């Protein structure tokens, strides 16, 4: 029998024959793609930080510390001593890891306490923890909606909402960003669905604009639809006492389903959740796949998050401080000739530049002046709408804000963005 016939198909790739190696299509394709990204200025480089996250950090390769204007550290809690202590105590009492999903042996008394505290914070009946808000968004829609239902989503919703919607068999409607006429069109067109769920970010992370929740809520009431909001860029700091976008619009406790994160203002570690009615939360515990099939949130994170919520309940003066700093920063840059998009009250302050290369170059020049901010370009934002997305923290001092404003103006003049 000829040898070639005796070699199973799957083994031939390992043959030592002298034939030229087959082209590695995947390697070639990826190399070309990466080259194109570099060429277009959209390739994302990661800077390495060698200190804890804070408004001032040290970056590898630089002797001088830099001021951070691109973290979700809205309340300055990422390295707060109270939270480090609470995380340590939780590790003392409950150990490092829990090595289980929740329903097998990953639920502790502290997980239950945190879920209760989150529900109270948002004014809902219950809450359920996930490893991240990405998971909370991925798990929600599929678990509670049927193929007859409809989900009506803002076109600029976060990627994790988009992915969650893709995983769900309900009918999909997409309305133009914050366009209430278009939202109502979708509500009318989906009138036959037994359940319609409107889904929107409370605050949109790339643009710093805030969904008109008062109008959306009124339309939901009028058309008997349910309302879901993603509060990742609002929880802890937006609205009079930091409850979020619902509180900002006087609707605290009136939104059906809230997803949010522990990974931004609330200490910035990791973890997400859904806060909603008892039936929604109970159903998610039974059916949400990222909850059922992923590890429980670590005890240290649970302990520190409980402490954050206590701190927020005790004192909400930081909310005002953050709003004042946000107004100061936005107004000074606008006066200097920059276009700062978004809601004046929101600490996400995108400085619009347009060109992707310009945004990257601008960020590099800022770093040289001790300001750490990042250029965002396609595909994270639409083509031609590149920007430096700055984020203000309640922990930024007035001196840090002034240093950043001065740096923006100097670089803006060098690169002919402002006169
Ligand atoms: C609007 C929004 N939703 C969800 C997420 C995901 O949150 P997490 O980091 O907890 O997965 C993010 C994070 O970038 C976000 O900005």
């Amino acid at each position: 029998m000829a040898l070639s016939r005796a070699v199973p198909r799957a083994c031939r790739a390992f043959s030592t024959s002298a034939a030229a190696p087959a082209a590695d299509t995947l390697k070639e394709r990826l190399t070309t793609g990466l080259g194109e990204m570099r060429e277009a200025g959209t390739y994302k480089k990661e800077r390495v930080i060698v200190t804890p996250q804070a408004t001032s950090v040290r970056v590898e390769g630089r002797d001088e510390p830099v001021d951070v204007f691109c973290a979700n550290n809205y309340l300055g809690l990422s390295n707060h001593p109270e939270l480090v202590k609470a995380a340590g105590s939780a590790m003392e009492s409950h150990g490092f890891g829990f090595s289980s999903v929740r329903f097998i042996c990953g639920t502790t008394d502290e997980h239950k306490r945190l879920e209760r505290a989150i529900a109270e914070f948002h004014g809902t009946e219950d809450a359920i923890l996930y490893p991240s808000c990405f998971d909370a968004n991925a798990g929600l829609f599929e678990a509670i909606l049927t193929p007859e239902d409809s989900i009506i989503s803002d076109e600029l919703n976060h990627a994790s909402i988009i992915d969650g919607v893709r995983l769900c068999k309900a009918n999909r409607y997409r309305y133009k960003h914050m366009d209430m006429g278009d939202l109502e069109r979708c509500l009318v067109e989906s009138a036959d669905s037994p359940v319609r769920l409107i889904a929107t970010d409370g605050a949109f992370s790339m643009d710093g604009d805030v969904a008109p929740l008062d109008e959306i809520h009124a339309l939901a009431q009028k058309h008997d639809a349910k309302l879901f909001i993603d509060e990742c860029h609002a929880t802890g700091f937006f609205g009079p006492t930091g409850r979020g976008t619902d509180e900002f619009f006087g609707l605290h406790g009136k939104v059906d389903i809230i997803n949010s994160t522990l990974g931004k203002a609330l200490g910035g570690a990791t973890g997400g959740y859904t806060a909603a009615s008892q039936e929604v939360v109970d159903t998610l515990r039974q059916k949400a796949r990222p909850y059922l099939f992923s590890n429980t949130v670590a005890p240290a994170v649970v302990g520190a998050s409980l402490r954050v919520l206590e701190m927020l309940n005790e004192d909400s003066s930081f909310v005002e401080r953050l709003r004042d700093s946000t107004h100061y920063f936005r107004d000074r840059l606008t006066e200097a000739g920059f276009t700062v998009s978004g809601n004046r009250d929101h600490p996400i302050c995108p400085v619009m530049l347009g060109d992707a290369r310009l945004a990257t170059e601008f960020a590099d020049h800022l770093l040289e002046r001790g300001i750490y901010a990042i250029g965002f370009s396609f595909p994270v934002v639409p083509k031609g709408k590149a920007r430096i997305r700055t984020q203000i923290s309640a922990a930024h001092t007035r001196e840090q804000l002034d240093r950043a404003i001065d740096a923006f103006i100097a670089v803006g003049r060098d690169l002919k963005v402002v006169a």
Side-chain angles (χ1 to χ4, degrees):
M1 198 198 294
L3 184 63
S4 64
R5 278 213 247 137
V7 178
R9 253 179 96 81
C11 295
R12 284 191 199 140
F14 299 104
S15 149
T16 53
S17 79
D24 187 337
T25 309
L26 180 62
K27 188 179 168 77
E28 282 170 17
R29 186 192 305 153
L30 299 185
T31 305
T32 307
L34 291 166
E36 284 168 1
M37 287 180 219
R38 287 195 185 93
E39 188 62 29
T42 59
Y43 185 88
K44 292 177 274 305
K45 283 187 243 143
E46 296 176 8
R47 292 186 184 129
V48 177
I49 294 176
V50 295
T51 53
Q53 183 65 276
T55 55
S56 177
V57 299
R58 276 202 43 244
V59 176
E60 203 172 72
R62 284 184 63 90
D63 294 334
E64 295 300 313
V66 292
D67 292 337
V68 177
F69 277 83
C70 54
N72 298 308
N73 188 13
Y74 295 111
L75 299 175
L77 297 178
S78 302
N79 189 35
H80 195 287
E82 284 281 324
L83 302 194
V84 175
K85 193 166 135 215
S89 307
M91 279 206 280
E92 292 284 325
S93 61
H94 288 75
F96 171 61
F98 238 79
S99 309
S100 173
V101 298
R102 291 287 299 277
F103 81 94
I104 299 180
C105 56
T107 297
T108 71
D109 50 342
E110 296 292 274
H111 288 89
K112 299 310 285 181
R113 278 216 306 134
L114 179 57
E115 286 173 339
R116 183 94 315 272
I118 289 169
E120 274 164 24
F121 185 79
H122 285 292
T124 58
E125 286 175 3
D126 203 356
I128 170 174
L129 286 166
Y130 286 86
S132 71
C133 186
F134 202 108
D135 288 325
N137 287 343
L140 174 72
F141 306 105
E142 186 201 18
I144 63 166
L145 298 177
T146 71
E148 289 71 42
D149 297 333
S150 289
I151 171 146
I152 305 171
S153 190
D154 187 294
E155 65 179 350
L156 291 193
N157 277 342
H158 188 259
S160 54
I161 300 179
I162 294 171
D163 285 5
V165 171
R166 282 187 186 141
L167 291 169
C168 160
K169 294 202 172 62
N171 302 297
R172 298 172 199 168
Y173 292 83
R174 211 163 64 134
Y175 62 94
K176 292 201 192 85
H177 182 47
M178 304 205 311
D179 181 329
M180 294 302 100
D182 206 33
L183 169 57
E184 185 149 35
R185 172 190 63 78
C186 297
L187 286 162
V188 170
E189 283 179 20
S190 61
D192 288 344
S193 287
V195 174
R196 269 100 43 84
L197 180 63
I198 302 170
T200 181
D201 282 10
F204 289 84
S205 59
M206 286 303 133
D207 295 281
D209 49 3
V210 176
L213 215 56
D214 48 350
E215 295 175 56
I216 297 176
H217 182 261
L219 282 175
Q221 298 279 92
K222 178 175 165 193
H223 291 272
D224 194 22
K226 298 287 179 197
L227 178 54
F228 158 82
I229 55 176
D230 175 323
E231 287 282 88
C232 283
H233 292 280
T235 298
F237 63 90
F238 204 60
T241 65
R243 261 47 182 181
T245 316
D246 53 350
E247 192 191 38
F248 182 78
F249 285 102
L251 291 168
H252 186 58
K254 298 211 169 92
V255 171
D256 299 293
I257 305 173
I258 296 173
N259 278 6
S260 194
T261 186
L262 303 171
K264 301 193 194 295
L266 304 186
T270 182
Y273 58 83
T274 297
S277 67
Q278 200 60 62
E279 305 75 47
V280 167
V281 170
D282 287 350
T283 303
L284 293 173
R285 279 195 212 284
Q286 301 306 312
K287 292 172 71 174
R289 292 167 69 83
Y291 180 81
L292 291 172
F293 300 115
S294 192
N295 197 20
T296 190
V297 178
V301 174
V302 173
S305 303
L306 269 164
R307 184 70 195 110
V308 177
L309 291 178
E310 276 169 19
M311 285 164 70
L312 299 194
N313 288 332
E314 284 159 12
D315 173 18
S316 55
S317 57
F318 50 81
V319 171
E320 211 170 308
R321 198 160 61 242
L322 179 56
R323 203 177 41 235
D324 286 351
S325 293
T326 298
H327 288 167
Y328 181 76
F329 187 77
R330 280 179 168 276
D331 293 351
R332 293 293 89 77
L333 285 188
T334 307
E335 282 159 22
F338 288 100
T339 303
V340 186
S341 74
N343 185 302
R344 184 166 175 267
D345 283 339
H346 202 280
I348 293 176
C349 308
V351 181
M352 305 305 287
L353 296 172
D355 180 64
R357 284 192 159 287
L358 173 63
T360 308
E361 202 182 339
F362 204 112
D364 289 344
H365 283 252
L366 284 175
L367 191 68
E368 280 160 26
R369 292 174 180 271
I371 302 300
Y372 188 168
I374 291 288
F376 283 69
S377 54
F378 183 78
V380 182
V381 296
K383 274 197 175 126
K385 298 221 165 155
R387 63 201 66 182
I388 306 278
R389 185 185 70 168
T390 53
Q391 290 166 285
I392 305 304
S393 168
H396 280 132
T397 62
R398 193 46 72 91
E399 291 71 37
Q400 285 178 310
L401 295 175
D402 283 336
R403 266 205 299 274
I405 293 161
D406 290 348
F408 261 94
I409 294 173
V411 175
R413 285 184 182 146
D414 284 353
L415 298 181
K416 313 251 176 309
V417 176
V418 291

